[in-house]
Amino acid sequence: MARIVVLGAGFAGLWAAIGAARMRDEIGNAGRDIEIRLIDRNPYHNIRVRNYEVDLSELALPLSQLLDPVGVAHGIGEVEAIDPVHHEISLVTSSGEETLRYDRLVLALGSELMWPNIQGLAEHAFDVDTYTAALRLDDHLTSLGRSAPAPGRSTIVVVGAGFTGIEVAAEMPERLVRAGITGSRRIILVDSSPAVGATIGGHARPVIETALSSLDVEMRLGVRLASVEASGVCLSSGEFIRTQTVIWCAGLRASRLAENFPRARDRHGRLLVDPFMRVADLPGVFAAGDVASSVVDGLHPTVMSCQFARPMGRFAGHNVVADLVGRPMLPLRIDWYVTVLDLGGWGALYTEGWDREVRTTGAAAKATKQTINRKRIYPPLTGSRDELFAAAAPTVQAPPPTYGAKRR
Ligand SMILES: Cc1cc2nc3c(=O)[nH]c(=O)nc-3n(C[C@H](O)[C@H](O)[C@H](O)COP(=O)(O)OP(=O)(O)OC[C@H]3O[C@@H](n4cnc5c(N)ncnc54)[C@H](O)[C@@H]3O)c2cc1C
């Protein structure tokens, strides 16, 4: 038996595992002795891009529903270390410490929020990086809604005005209403950069500013978070904001387990992979999603996003089996790039191209966002092996639909 281990059940890992099972099926007898095993710390696939939304009820899909029909074994465990020399993974499971051997590996452990050493931050702040964290924030808002009015109860401070922070802030008016916090409220977005959405680009900025202003989101730009305490936050400007809810959304980095591989990494800690998703000069190791960086159009490295993680996963899954049985691998090439930023009750923003030209805004862009978040990125939930295999084919989807945009 040859064993392929996929680490991570996010957008890259899930599709790598199903993609590998699809290829194993396609090659018939040659795939008979291949075991595919996926490990994640959770028994579910988190639709992570939706962790900021009002309704969190459909964001954790049981892995058994997705992997049992295609014959992928799966286990729950915390990956502690990977030894690429001896092909071994150290895990902590409910039974204790375990070692898992692999013949081929797909590393898909994603990314994680960076937590700088700011006084009180780790102790008091919330985030939406994982499903567990999103639920914790949701519980907190619900309990605030049930508590008696108190100073700072209706003030939310979101730190980091990049994609995630903007989505969190824009969704907050609706979330507060749902939590029962009505009446006067303040939502404050803080960033050390002098401009909102500095990483998103100049074309998009006026749209983001209009949307946030119409949602009454206040800005504190060009200032840093200095400290956090139970009753509020202190900014580098000296301002103290009374609040019971600080949401940290500033900065992502690749899983630290990428450091187990003695290979070049980019400034986000990502392993560099070739178009086949192979980690350079490391036979038998593939990586996909936020933990990896690949040049997909001959020019641009992938951006940490589900837009890239999903096809990277599908191709990694196909190729890891092809590599094992000596069949030709398929290179991943993607010649389009879009972003769709949720702007809450105002709508959304849809940009196209690496310069992020605005394509649609408001309700039209929101329709695209909802198509993506509620349909496009979901695996088939019917339990049908054929549908799962079809969705895992090593192909690149067309860009998401635009509504109401003028054709070019
Ligand atoms: C709030 C939010 C909104 C976003 N919005 C967008 C968007 O609009 N568009 C977009 O394209 N992208 C968006 N992203 C980014 C997107 O979610 C990521 O790029 C995507 O999830 C990457 O997929 P992945 O499979 O590489 O990693 P992940 O989805 O993070 O999956 C990694 C998996 O590895 C598991 N894992 C990690 N470490 C360990 C360990 N040590 N042991 C065991 N298991 C482990 C995790 O449990 C997880 O299941 C958003 C992210 C957030 C947080």
Short mmCIF file of all heavy atoms in Angstrom, two decimals, residues 8-13 39-42 44 48-49 51-52 77-79 108-111 128-129 164 167 255 257 288-291 304-307 309 340 369, ligand 1:
data_model
loop_
_atom_site.label_atom_id
_atom_site.label_comp_id
_atom_site.label_asym_id
_atom_site.label_seq_id
_atom_site.Cartn_x
_atom_site.Cartn_y
_atom_site.Cartn_z
N GLY A 8 -4.71 19.14 6.19
CA GLY A 8 -5.58 20.32 6.08
C GLY A 8 -6.82 20.00 5.27
O GLY A 8 -6.73 19.39 4.20
N ALA A 9 -7.98 20.42 5.79
CA ALA A 9 -9.25 20.16 5.09
C ALA A 9 -9.93 21.46 4.70
O ALA A 9 -11.15 21.57 4.71
CB ALA A 9 -10.17 19.33 5.97
N GLY A 10 -9.13 22.47 4.40
CA GLY A 10 -9.69 23.74 3.92
C GLY A 10 -9.94 23.67 2.42
O GLY A 10 -10.10 22.59 1.85
N PHE A 11 -9.95 24.82 1.79
CA PHE A 11 -10.27 24.86 0.36
C PHE A 11 -9.24 24.11 -0.49
O PHE A 11 -9.57 23.54 -1.52
CB PHE A 11 -10.38 26.30 -0.12
CG PHE A 11 -11.58 27.00 0.43
CD1 PHE A 11 -11.46 27.94 1.44
CD2 PHE A 11 -12.85 26.69 -0.02
CE1 PHE A 11 -12.57 28.58 1.97
CE2 PHE A 11 -13.97 27.30 0.50
CZ PHE A 11 -13.84 28.25 1.51
N ALA A 12 -7.98 24.12 -0.06
CA ALA A 12 -6.96 23.40 -0.82
C ALA A 12 -6.97 21.92 -0.47
O ALA A 12 -7.00 21.06 -1.35
CB ALA A 12 -5.58 24.01 -0.54
N GLY A 13 -6.96 21.62 0.84
CA GLY A 13 -6.82 20.23 1.26
C GLY A 13 -8.02 19.37 0.89
O GLY A 13 -7.88 18.23 0.44
N ILE A 39 -5.83 14.65 7.23
CA ILE A 39 -5.79 14.99 8.66
C ILE A 39 -6.12 16.47 8.84
O ILE A 39 -5.57 17.32 8.13
CB ILE A 39 -4.37 14.74 9.25
CG1 ILE A 39 -3.92 13.29 9.05
CG2 ILE A 39 -4.31 15.15 10.73
CD1 ILE A 39 -4.67 12.27 9.88
N ASP A 40 -7.00 16.75 9.78
CA ASP A 40 -7.28 18.14 10.16
C ASP A 40 -7.55 18.17 11.66
O ASP A 40 -7.95 17.16 12.24
CB ASP A 40 -8.50 18.69 9.40
CG ASP A 40 -8.56 20.21 9.41
OD1 ASP A 40 -8.89 20.79 10.48
OD2 ASP A 40 -8.27 20.84 8.38
N ARG A 41 -7.37 19.35 12.25
CA ARG A 41 -7.68 19.44 13.68
C ARG A 41 -9.17 19.42 13.95
O ARG A 41 -9.60 19.21 15.08
CB ARG A 41 -7.06 20.72 14.29
CG ARG A 41 -7.50 22.00 13.61
CD ARG A 41 -7.14 23.22 14.48
NE ARG A 41 -5.72 23.43 14.57
CZ ARG A 41 -5.06 24.44 13.99
NH1 ARG A 41 -5.71 25.32 13.25
NH2 ARG A 41 -3.78 24.58 14.16
N ASN A 42 -9.96 19.63 12.91
CA ASN A 42 -11.42 19.64 13.05
C ASN A 42 -12.06 18.58 12.18
O ASN A 42 -11.52 18.24 11.12
CB ASN A 42 -11.98 21.01 12.62
CG ASN A 42 -11.45 22.13 13.49
OD1 ASN A 42 -11.51 22.05 14.71
ND2 ASN A 42 -10.90 23.17 12.87
N TYR A 44 -14.49 18.96 10.29
CA TYR A 44 -15.33 19.63 9.29
C TYR A 44 -14.48 20.47 8.33
O TYR A 44 -13.33 20.80 8.61
CB TYR A 44 -16.40 20.51 9.95
CG TYR A 44 -15.83 21.49 10.97
CD1 TYR A 44 -15.19 22.66 10.56
CD2 TYR A 44 -15.93 21.25 12.35
CE1 TYR A 44 -14.66 23.56 11.49
CE2 TYR A 44 -15.41 22.14 13.27
CZ TYR A 44 -14.77 23.29 12.83
OH TYR A 44 -14.23 24.17 13.73
N ARG A 48 -14.41 29.13 5.26
CA ARG A 48 -13.74 30.17 6.06
C ARG A 48 -14.05 31.58 5.59
O ARG A 48 -14.13 32.51 6.41
CB ARG A 48 -12.22 29.90 5.98
CG ARG A 48 -11.36 30.76 6.85
CD ARG A 48 -9.90 30.35 6.64
NE ARG A 48 -9.00 31.23 7.35
CZ ARG A 48 -7.71 31.38 7.01
NH1 ARG A 48 -7.21 30.70 5.99
NH2 ARG A 48 -6.95 32.20 7.68
N VAL A 49 -14.23 31.74 4.30
CA VAL A 49 -14.48 33.09 3.76
C VAL A 49 -15.78 33.69 4.29
O VAL A 49 -16.00 34.89 4.16
CB VAL A 49 -14.50 33.10 2.22
CG1 VAL A 49 -13.21 32.60 1.64
CG2 VAL A 49 -15.66 32.31 1.66
N ASN A 51 -16.76 33.47 7.53
CA ASN A 51 -16.71 33.56 9.00
C ASN A 51 -17.11 34.92 9.55
O ASN A 51 -17.32 35.06 10.74
CB ASN A 51 -15.31 33.21 9.52
CG ASN A 51 -15.02 31.72 9.47
OD1 ASN A 51 -15.92 30.92 9.23
ND2 ASN A 51 -13.77 31.35 9.66
N TYR A 52 -17.18 35.95 8.69
CA TYR A 52 -17.55 37.29 9.15
C TYR A 52 -19.07 37.51 9.07
O TYR A 52 -19.57 38.54 9.53
CB TYR A 52 -16.88 38.36 8.26
CG TYR A 52 -17.43 38.34 6.84
CD1 TYR A 52 -18.48 39.17 6.48
CD2 TYR A 52 -16.94 37.45 5.89
CE1 TYR A 52 -19.03 39.13 5.20
CE2 TYR A 52 -17.46 37.40 4.62
CZ TYR A 52 -18.50 38.24 4.28
OH TYR A 52 -19.05 38.17 3.03
N GLY A 77 -6.64 15.44 14.14
CA GLY A 77 -5.38 15.51 14.87
C GLY A 77 -4.74 16.87 14.67
O GLY A 77 -4.99 17.55 13.67
N GLU A 78 -3.96 17.26 15.64
CA GLU A 78 -3.19 18.50 15.55
C GLU A 78 -1.81 18.14 15.01
O GLU A 78 -1.09 17.35 15.63
CB GLU A 78 -3.08 19.14 16.95
CG GLU A 78 -2.36 20.45 17.00
CD GLU A 78 -3.14 21.60 16.35
OE1 GLU A 78 -4.39 21.55 16.32
OE2 GLU A 78 -2.48 22.53 15.87
N VAL A 79 -1.48 18.67 13.84
CA VAL A 79 -0.16 18.39 13.27
C VAL A 79 0.85 19.23 14.04
O VAL A 79 0.73 20.45 14.13
CB VAL A 79 -0.12 18.74 11.77
CG1 VAL A 79 1.26 18.44 11.20
CG2 VAL A 79 -1.20 18.00 11.01
N ALA A 108 -1.45 21.37 3.06
CA ALA A 108 -2.53 22.34 2.79
C ALA A 108 -3.04 22.89 4.12
O ALA A 108 -4.24 22.94 4.37
CB ALA A 108 -3.65 21.66 2.00
N LEU A 109 -2.10 23.30 4.96
CA LEU A 109 -2.46 23.76 6.31
C LEU A 109 -2.84 25.23 6.36
O LEU A 109 -3.08 25.78 7.45
CB LEU A 109 -1.33 23.44 7.30
CG LEU A 109 -1.14 21.94 7.56
CD1 LEU A 109 0.15 21.67 8.32
CD2 LEU A 109 -2.33 21.35 8.30
N GLY A 110 -2.90 25.88 5.21
CA GLY A 110 -3.48 27.22 5.15
C GLY A 110 -2.64 28.30 5.81
O GLY A 110 -1.41 28.25 5.86
N SER A 111 -3.35 29.28 6.34
CA SER A 111 -2.70 30.45 6.92
C SER A 111 -3.32 30.73 8.27
O SER A 111 -4.35 30.15 8.63
CB SER A 111 -2.94 31.66 6.00
OG SER A 111 -4.32 31.82 5.80
N VAL A 128 -12.04 36.40 13.41
CA VAL A 128 -12.92 35.54 12.59
C VAL A 128 -12.07 34.62 11.70
O VAL A 128 -12.51 34.19 10.65
CB VAL A 128 -13.90 36.37 11.73
CG1 VAL A 128 -14.89 37.12 12.59
CG2 VAL A 128 -13.15 37.34 10.81
N ASP A 129 -10.85 34.33 12.16
CA ASP A 129 -9.94 33.57 11.31
C ASP A 129 -10.37 32.11 11.16
O ASP A 129 -10.14 31.49 10.12
CB ASP A 129 -8.54 33.63 11.93
CG ASP A 129 -7.46 33.33 10.91
OD1 ASP A 129 -7.60 33.78 9.77
OD2 ASP A 129 -6.49 32.63 11.26
N THR A 164 -10.49 41.48 5.18
CA THR A 164 -11.28 40.88 6.26
C THR A 164 -11.86 41.94 7.19
O THR A 164 -13.05 41.91 7.53
CB THR A 164 -10.42 39.87 7.06
OG1 THR A 164 -9.93 38.90 6.15
CG2 THR A 164 -11.21 39.19 8.14
N GLU A 167 -14.80 43.72 5.66
CA GLU A 167 -16.01 42.88 5.62
C GLU A 167 -16.62 42.74 7.02
O GLU A 167 -17.83 42.81 7.19
CB GLU A 167 -15.69 41.50 5.02
CG GLU A 167 -15.39 41.59 3.53
CD GLU A 167 -15.31 40.24 2.81
OE1 GLU A 167 -14.95 39.24 3.45
OE2 GLU A 167 -15.61 40.21 1.60
N SER A 255 0.88 28.88 7.44
CA SER A 255 1.05 27.98 8.58
C SER A 255 2.53 27.86 8.93
O SER A 255 3.39 27.67 8.06
CB SER A 255 0.52 26.59 8.21
OG SER A 255 1.04 25.63 9.09
N LEU A 257 4.00 25.50 10.07
CA LEU A 257 4.55 24.17 9.76
C LEU A 257 5.30 24.16 8.43
O LEU A 257 6.07 23.25 8.15
CB LEU A 257 3.45 23.12 9.80
CG LEU A 257 3.07 22.82 11.26
CD1 LEU A 257 1.64 22.40 11.40
CD2 LEU A 257 4.00 21.79 11.85
N ALA A 288 -0.38 23.34 -1.46
CA ALA A 288 -1.45 24.07 -2.16
C ALA A 288 -2.16 24.99 -1.18
O ALA A 288 -2.15 24.76 0.03
CB ALA A 288 -2.44 23.08 -2.75
N GLY A 289 -2.76 26.04 -1.74
CA GLY A 289 -3.52 26.99 -0.92
C GLY A 289 -2.62 28.04 -0.29
O GLY A 289 -1.55 28.36 -0.81
N ASP A 290 -3.06 28.55 0.85
CA ASP A 290 -2.37 29.69 1.48
C ASP A 290 -0.95 29.38 1.93
O ASP A 290 -0.16 30.29 2.19
CB ASP A 290 -3.16 30.17 2.71
CG ASP A 290 -4.41 30.97 2.34
OD1 ASP A 290 -4.71 31.08 1.13
OD2 ASP A 290 -5.08 31.47 3.25
N VAL A 291 -0.64 28.11 2.07
CA VAL A 291 0.69 27.73 2.54
C VAL A 291 1.70 27.69 1.39
O VAL A 291 2.90 27.49 1.61
CB VAL A 291 0.60 26.37 3.29
CG1 VAL A 291 0.53 25.21 2.31
CG2 VAL A 291 1.73 26.20 4.26
N MET A 304 -3.23 34.70 -1.32
CA MET A 304 -3.91 33.84 -0.35
C MET A 304 -5.41 34.06 -0.50
O MET A 304 -5.92 35.13 -0.13
CB MET A 304 -3.50 34.21 1.07
CG MET A 304 -2.10 33.79 1.45
SD MET A 304 -1.88 34.13 3.21
CE MET A 304 -0.16 33.72 3.42
N SER A 305 -6.10 33.11 -1.06
CA SER A 305 -7.54 33.27 -1.32
C SER A 305 -8.11 31.91 -1.69
O SER A 305 -7.39 31.03 -2.17
CB SER A 305 -7.78 34.24 -2.47
OG SER A 305 -7.21 33.70 -3.66
N CYS A 306 -9.42 31.77 -1.50
CA CYS A 306 -10.01 30.50 -1.91
C CYS A 306 -10.06 30.42 -3.43
O CYS A 306 -10.09 29.35 -4.00
CB CYS A 306 -11.38 30.29 -1.28
SG CYS A 306 -12.67 31.31 -1.91
N GLN A 307 -10.05 31.58 -4.06
CA GLN A 307 -10.02 31.62 -5.52
C GLN A 307 -8.84 30.79 -6.07
O GLN A 307 -8.97 30.10 -7.07
CB GLN A 307 -9.88 33.07 -5.94
CG GLN A 307 -9.81 33.31 -7.39
CD GLN A 307 -9.70 34.80 -7.71
OE1 GLN A 307 -9.28 35.15 -8.78
NE2 GLN A 307 -10.07 35.67 -6.82
N ALA A 309 -6.83 28.76 -3.84
CA ALA A 309 -6.65 27.53 -3.05
C ALA A 309 -7.41 26.36 -3.66
O ALA A 309 -6.89 25.23 -3.69
CB ALA A 309 -7.11 27.77 -1.61
N VAL A 340 -13.94 40.08 -4.82
CA VAL A 340 -15.32 40.48 -4.52
C VAL A 340 -15.40 40.74 -3.03
O VAL A 340 -15.30 39.82 -2.22
CB VAL A 340 -16.34 39.41 -4.97
CG1 VAL A 340 -17.75 40.00 -4.93
CG2 VAL A 340 -16.04 38.89 -6.36
N LYS A 369 -21.26 38.19 -5.03
CA LYS A 369 -20.69 37.71 -3.76
C LYS A 369 -21.52 36.57 -3.19
O LYS A 369 -21.00 35.57 -2.71
CB LYS A 369 -20.62 38.88 -2.77
CG LYS A 369 -19.95 38.55 -1.46
CD LYS A 369 -18.45 38.35 -1.62
CE LYS A 369 -17.74 38.13 -0.31
NZ LYS A 369 -16.30 37.86 -0.51
C1 LIG B 1 -13.14 36.25 7.22
C2 LIG B 1 -12.40 35.84 5.99
C3 LIG B 1 -12.87 36.23 4.75
C4 LIG B 1 -12.22 35.84 3.59
N1 LIG B 1 -12.72 36.24 2.39
C5 LIG B 1 -12.18 35.78 1.27
C6 LIG B 1 -12.77 36.09 0.01
O1 LIG B 1 -13.73 36.84 -0.08
N2 LIG B 1 -12.22 35.56 -1.09
C7 LIG B 1 -11.15 34.71 -1.04
O2 LIG B 1 -10.73 34.21 -2.08
N3 LIG B 1 -10.55 34.42 0.13
C8 LIG B 1 -11.03 34.92 1.29
N4 LIG B 1 -10.45 34.61 2.49
C9 LIG B 1 -9.23 33.81 2.49
C10 LIG B 1 -9.53 32.32 2.37
O3 LIG B 1 -10.38 31.91 3.40
C11 LIG B 1 -8.23 31.54 2.41
O4 LIG B 1 -7.38 32.00 1.41
C12 LIG B 1 -8.53 30.05 2.20
O5 LIG B 1 -9.27 29.57 3.28
C13 LIG B 1 -7.25 29.28 2.01
O6 LIG B 1 -7.54 27.92 1.89
P1 LIG B 1 -6.52 26.85 2.50
O7 LIG B 1 -7.11 25.52 2.25
O8 LIG B 1 -5.15 27.12 2.02
O9 LIG B 1 -6.49 27.16 4.05
P2 LIG B 1 -7.66 27.03 5.13
O10 LIG B 1 -8.98 27.20 4.51
O11 LIG B 1 -7.25 27.91 6.24
O12 LIG B 1 -7.55 25.52 5.61
C14 LIG B 1 -6.46 25.06 6.40
C15 LIG B 1 -6.93 23.84 7.15
O13 LIG B 1 -5.82 23.32 7.87
C16 LIG B 1 -6.22 23.01 9.20
N5 LIG B 1 -5.05 23.15 10.07
C17 LIG B 1 -4.22 24.23 10.14
N6 LIG B 1 -3.20 23.97 10.98
C18 LIG B 1 -3.39 22.71 11.44
C19 LIG B 1 -2.65 21.87 12.31
N7 LIG B 1 -1.51 22.27 12.88
N8 LIG B 1 -3.10 20.63 12.55
C20 LIG B 1 -4.26 20.20 11.97
N9 LIG B 1 -4.99 20.95 11.12
C21 LIG B 1 -4.56 22.19 10.87
C22 LIG B 1 -7.32 24.01 9.54
O14 LIG B 1 -8.18 23.51 10.53
C23 LIG B 1 -8.01 24.16 8.17
O15 LIG B 1 -9.07 23.26 8.02
C24 LIG B 1 -11.06 35.02 3.67
C25 LIG B 1 -10.58 34.62 4.91
C26 LIG B 1 -11.23 35.02 6.07
C27 LIG B 1 -10.69 34.58 7.41
#
